[in-house]
Amino acid sequence: MIKRHLPFATVAVIALVAAPLLLEPFRLGLLAKYLCYAIVALGIGLAWGQGGMLTLGQGVFFGLGGYSMAMYLKLNEAGPGGLPDFMVWSGVEKLPALWAPFASPVFAVGMAVLGPVLLAVLLGTLVFRQRVRGAYFAILTQALAAAMVILLVGQQGLTGGTNGMTNFFELFGQDLADDSTQRGLYLVVASVLGILYLATRQLVHSRYGRLLVAVRDGEDRVRFLGYDPALVKTVTFAASAGMAGLAGALFVPVVGIISPALLGVVPSLELVVAVAVGGRHALAGAVLGAVVMGYAKTAFSEQFADGWLYLQGALFILVMTLAPKGIVGVVGRLRRARTT
């Protein structure tokens, strides 16, 4: 048991202790951003890797969480009776009623998680009850992401339109530009990821996790045994949506912006690709893939500004060709080869 948990414990210690000491503030902020994406990837690993639900619209839930936090930050900076800067520029004269509750940090953080969960429950109930699955479900979630972007862009006075929301200066009385605040945010993100990983891992190894895998491998057989596959899949889909929403709420103070460009079809697909690169059938693979692809995107864009997208695509093709089970699959093969 100790040996099995030793790799996770080692990585956790390095992430929590060594990284803030060894990395400069800018690089630590980048790592915190990768870990935010890793939280989303963890949810995708649960839904897709364990439940067989290829979701191509996690950006929607990520965006709901991000915009919830951004709305609180903007109202906090505007002060009582004030308006966010982009509303002033857009000619809005009165705070929209939708915004008023987000002046409370408790409400904002709660909605960052509860909003995506409720949307996922509604969508899952409507879709899974009709036995929609496979490519049809994937296309539906992708269409939802596209529709979300169109909605946000079209509501300039309500959401900031194409530019989204930025220029956040303070979080719970702490200056976001201060290095100590950013270190604190990193520790929060890393801790949240660790807790969610352990909780998700426990879920996967529980009776419910075995039922989820059974639904993935033979949904009709599970139904004939008296279980409700639609309920199992809806709960899992909602859990993955809640993780994405929480990741979005953490992302906003870490990165300092939320916009439609960060939650559309392309970002959602990039997260799925990251999970595939890491290994979708292992939760650790989903987390690892998100960090590796995030780092690769940064490194390639810094060194090869004109062709980094091609290099990122080549990395994906290389991994999928040589290691269909992802990086975790390669590690597993090496471990088995060493023991034989």
Side-chain angles (χ1 to χ4, degrees), residues 169-246:
F169 303 105
E170 186 179 286
L171 175 66
F172 304 141
Q174 302 298 315
D175 183 5
L176 286 174
D178 190 82
D179 291 345
S180 61
T181 303
Q182 288 300 315
R183 281 194 296 271
L185 283 172
Y186 167 79
L187 292 175
V188 169
V189 173
S191 299
V192 168
L193 174 60
I195 292 170
L196 288 177
Y197 175 81
L198 292 176
T200 306
R201 189 176 183 278
Q202 184 66 30
L203 178 67
V204 167
H205 288 85
S206 68
R207 180 181 177 185
Y208 176 84
R210 292 191 292 272
L211 179 60
L212 178 61
V213 173
V215 171
R216 179 195 69 189
D217 296 338
E219 183 173 333
D220 292 331
R221 295 178 183 176
V222 172
R223 183 179 293 107
F224 294 150
L225 290 173
Y227 293 99
D228 185 358
L231 178 59
V232 174
K233 294 168 75 173
T234 299
V235 170
T236 303
F237 186 45
S240 70
M243 292 184 202
L246 182 56

Side-chain angles (χ1 to χ4, degrees), residues 62-310:
F62 181 82
L64 287 174
Y67 272 90
S68 294
M69 177 58 74
M71 290 165 74
Y72 161 70
L73 293 176
K74 280 298 180 185
L75 289 176
N76 182 61
E77 291 166 8
L83 291 176
D85 49 10
F86 72 89
M87 288 188 182
V88 176
W89 304 332
S90 302
V92 177
E93 298 179 354
K94 183 180 179 181
L95 186 70
L98 176 65
W99 272 70
F102 288 89
S104 166
V106 176
F107 181 87
V109 174
M111 285 304 298
V113 178
L114 188 59
V117 168
L118 292 177
L119 178 59
V121 168
L122 176 62
L123 182 63
T125 301
L126 295 175
V127 170
F128 297 135
R129 292 293 176 188
Q130 300 300 319
R131 301 185 184 181
V132 176
R133 53 182 137 170
Y136 299 102
F137 175 73
I139 293 172
L140 182 63
T141 56
Q142 188 178 47
L144 182 64
M148 180 74 168
V149 170
I150 294 173
L151 176 64
L152 292 173
V153 170
Q155 300 296 320
Q156 173 70 37
L158 194 65
T159 65
T162 304
N163 296 325
M165 302 183 208
T166 187
N167 296 328
F168 307 115
F169 303 105
E170 186 179 286
L171 175 66
F172 304 141
Q174 302 298 315
D175 183 5
L176 286 174
D178 190 82
D179 291 345
S180 61
T181 303
Q182 288 300 315
R183 281 194 296 271
L185 283 172
Y186 167 79
L187 292 175
V188 169
V189 173
S191 299
V192 168
L193 174 60
I195 292 170
L196 288 177
Y197 175 81
L198 292 176
T200 306
R201 189 176 183 278
Q202 184 66 30
L203 178 67
V204 167
H205 288 85
S206 68
R207 180 181 177 185
Y208 176 84
R210 292 191 292 272
L211 179 60
L212 178 61
V213 173
V215 171
R216 179 195 69 189
D217 296 338
E219 183 173 333
D220 292 331
R221 295 178 183 176
V222 172
R223 183 179 293 107
F224 294 150
L225 290 173
Y227 293 99
D228 185 358
L231 178 59
V232 174
K233 294 168 75 173
T234 299
V235 170
T236 303
F237 186 45
S240 70
M243 292 184 202
L246 182 56
L250 294 170
F251 179 89
V252 169
V254 167
V255 179
I257 187 174
I258 186 70
S259 71
L262 295 170
L263 51 102
V265 173
V266 173
S268 298
L269 287 173
E270 287 181 343
L271 286 167
V272 171
V273 168
V275 173
V277 167
R280 69 184 179 97
H281 292 297
L283 297 177
V287 172
L288 178 62
V291 175
V292 168
M293 291 299 286
Y295 174 77
K297 184 175 182 179
T298 300
F300 291 155
S301 62
E302 289 177 347
Q303 300 297 324
F304 309 98
D306 295 329
W308 66 272
L309 281 174
Y310 298 105

